[in-house]
Amino acid sequence: MPGDVDSLRELVIDQLSLAGIADAEVDADLLIGHVLGQSRGEVQAAGILRKTLNEADALAILALVDRRARREPLQHITGRAPFRALNLLVGPGVFVPRPETEQVAQFAIDALRSMPDPAPIGVDLGTGSGAIALCLATEVPHARVFAVENSPEAFEWTSRNFAEVGAPNATLEFGDLADAFTELNGTVAVVISNPPYIPADAIPRDPEVRLFDPAHALFGGADGLDVVRQVSTTALRLLRSGGVLVIEHGELQGAAIRAILAADGWRAPATHPDYTSRDRATTAIRNA
């Protein structure tokens, strides 16, 4: 049993690397830090100083490492997922928010901030953990933000995150995005959605996604775009003239989504790459 942080850290990195974890060093630091109550920097400093480790902590860390080596998502093990300035509660039954969605959310944040309304309204369709809605509410505090989720399993996590963040300008509703928030028809400034968009017959590459993310949040019908079509319809109902729509999607779906939006009468549909130069989001503006 390793008796110091440095020896244990090296053991954990080796074990995670053998399991095919791409960022083994990052995950090692985060798992050790989760047990010890330390940040990544504190774990690395403890390793450099070869600080001693008691057996109970070492055993607890190795138990978590074994779970991660079986490709259980790191966020399920720690119970938390960082998203922009938030640290959200996540676990089985809810989609774990991804770093690339942080950039997609920026489109909606920028659009809300640019609106002349004293209290612009933003809507997040299919909010999952609540990541997008809560970052809109906290980063654009003069906005009013509404979010809807229709998965009972996910909604438990969403409700906990809304309660923990406590944004007074954020409203959560359980229901289907197709008929959500009819009282807001024609008044919304920004609609954003990260819908399920994987085609039904596609097999996700990563075991963390394939084995642990809820299918409800992944698969969007035969071509992956069934929910996107509904998002377009709902957003047309909700948005006022000049309102902005933001949709996250797969890297090969931009052209198809632009075609859907153009056929529905949206103005200026445009697809935007993420930081890895992969197409990640499409935006459009509601006509008068």
Side-chain angles (χ1 to χ4, degrees):
M1 179 71 60
D4 63 81
V5 173
D6 184 60
S7 299
L8 179 67
R9 185 172 178 271
E10 290 303 317
L11 177 67
V12 171
I13 291 170
D14 288 346
Q15 187 172 342
L16 295 180
S17 296
L18 286 171
I21 306 297
D23 297 315
E25 186 172 337
V26 174
D27 284 21
D29 291 341
L30 293 173
L31 289 170
I32 294 169
H34 179 66
V35 172
L36 300 182
Q38 296 179 344
S39 68
R40 275 198 74 200
E42 289 171 330
V43 170
Q44 291 167 355
I48 292 168
L49 297 172
R50 301 189 71 87
K51 288 201 171 181
T52 57
L53 191 69
N54 67 54
E55 186 174 352
D57 285 342
L59 287 171
I61 291 165
L62 291 174
L64 299 187
V65 170
D66 184 60
R67 290 169 61 185
R68 183 70 186 105
R70 296 198 299 270
R71 304 304 291 267
E72 184 176 349
L74 175 72
Q75 298 88 343
H76 283 197
I77 297 169
T78 64
R80 292 281 179 173
F83 188 84
R84 294 179 69 93
L86 303 173
N87 193 24
L88 300 166
L89 293 157
V90 294
V94 70
F95 184 78
V96 174
R98 305 299 202 262
E100 55 266 27
T101 303
E102 296 183 14
Q103 185 183 357
V104 178
Q106 188 69 53
F107 289 112
I109 290 168
D110 291 344
L112 276 176
R113 287 174 175 166
S114 73
M115 295 295 173
D117 325 41
I121 298 172
V123 172
D124 180 13
L125 298 176
T127 194
S129 66
I132 292 175
L134 289 170
C135 80
L136 296 185
T138 54
E139 296 186 44
V140 194
H142 69 283
R144 290 192 295 145
V145 178
F146 296 81
V148 65
E149 175 57 49
N150 70 352
S151 162
E153 295 79 16
F155 193 76
E156 292 183 22
W157 294 102
T158 327
S159 300
R160 292 172 64 187
N161 284 319
F162 267 69
E164 183 172 277
V165 173
N169 57 332
T171 299
L172 174 63
E173 180 178 288
F174 181 82
D176 194 272
L177 64 85
D179 52 14
F181 306 122
T182 54
E183 71 278 11
L184 299 178
N185 285 354
T187 67
V188 176
V190 178
V191 170
I192 184 170
S193 183
N194 180 13
Y197 53 71
I198 298 176
D201 60 355
I203 299 174
R205 183 185 310 113
D206 296 331
E208 290 86 348
V209 177
R210 187 171 66 250
L211 301 176
F212 293 96
D213 272 329
H216 182 80
L218 298 177
F219 298 102
D223 64 355
L225 301 179
D226 284 358
V227 185
V228 170
R229 294 182 179 92
Q230 184 58 63
V231 165
S232 173
T233 300
T234 299
L236 282 170
R237 168 172 61 79
L238 290 171
L239 287 169
R240 58 168 171 72
S241 175
V244 174
L245 172 64
V246 181
I247 301 175
E248 180 171 337
H249 53 76
E251 62 184 290
L252 301 178
Q253 295 175 319
I257 291 174
R258 292 195 304 275
I260 290 169
L261 298 180
D264 285 350
W266 291 91
R267 180 160 53 91
T271 299
H272 312 272
D274 61 19
Y275 294 127
T276 66
S277 300
R278 296 180 175 91
D279 283 350
R280 182 59 56 194
T282 292
T283 57
I285 300 170
R286 194 195 192 289
N287 278 316

